[in-house]
Amino acid sequence: KLEVARDLALLAWSLAKLSLATLPIMSSISELMMKQIHAKSSGPQALANTAWAFATSAIRNEPLFEAIARLSLETLAEFDQQELTNTSWAFAEIRCRNMPLIEASSVAILGALSNGMTEEEVARGGYAMAWAQDRHGRSDLSRALVSHFIAGARC
């Protein structure tokens, strides 16, 4: 079951990456993805990639983003650093403010920092997360992340 959601996410990601995402195609993908999300057949990578694809293509789909947020919150412990930051970046890029997800993602990424993220992970994802939190209007969370990087001499 997870393969269907992953394949839909990769299709959406590919279309966005190639600048071929059109509203009719992405709407169809959204409908199919919503079924996968409601069936809880979407893993963290599919959720993150779907959010990224829609944000990159600038196609705002509130019901899809709300469904992604709900399932992400339920399964946040399964997200790795890249999935956390990609999801947060996508929500910030499309300006979809889901405060429970924003706050939970910040707590999770701070936990990941404490558990020894590599320098590359910090550079690749930590600052993307700080940018996303600031864009969501949570400069307090952004400052907390940056302070954590500085305190750990990770920047």
Side-chain angles (χ1 to χ4, degrees):
K1 287 186 177 182
L2 291 178
E3 292 83 20
V4 173
R6 186 193 66 220
D7 291 347
L8 287 168
L10 288 174
L11 175 60
W13 181 88
S14 297
L15 291 167
K17 186 78 172 163
L18 296 169
S19 300
L20 297 173
T22 64
L23 186 56
I25 292 172
M26 296 302 274
S27 293
S28 294
I29 291 171
S30 174
E31 287 177 32
L32 295 169
M33 193 63 180
M34 291 282 285
K35 290 178 183 175
Q36 296 298 308
I37 292 170
H38 290 305
K40 298 188 181 197
S41 297
S42 295
Q45 184 179 13
L47 295 171
N49 286 352
T50 300
W52 184 94
F54 276 79
T56 298
S57 63
I59 295 175
R60 191 172 174 91
N61 186 313
E62 291 283 338
L64 177 62
F65 272 78
E66 288 306 313
I68 289 170
R70 272 193 309 277
L71 188 54
S72 295
L73 281 167
E74 290 176 25
T75 60
L76 204 62
E78 298 171 25
F79 279 63
D80 66 18
Q81 171 270 330
Q82 185 173 359
E83 293 156 350
L84 279 170
T85 56
N86 285 356
T87 302
S88 292
W89 176 89
F91 273 72
E93 181 66 20
I94 203 83
R95 304 230 182 210
C96 183
R97 293 185 72 190
N98 184 292
M99 295 315 289
L101 181 61
I102 293 165
E103 292 169 5
S105 296
S106 288
V107 169
I109 202 72
L110 282 170
L113 285 168
S114 298
N115 290 327
M117 284 173 58
T118 67
E119 295 295 325
E120 182 180 342
E121 289 171 324
V122 170
R124 187 177 60 229
Y127 291 106
M129 179 67 92
W131 173 86
Q133 304 312 19
D134 192 61
R135 186 160 176 147
H136 282 302
R138 291 301 308 266
S139 58
D140 59 320
L141 295 175
S142 180
R143 281 192 302 274
L145 284 166
V146 172
S147 295
H148 196 87
F149 300 152
I150 293 169
R154 304 297 293 272
C155 60

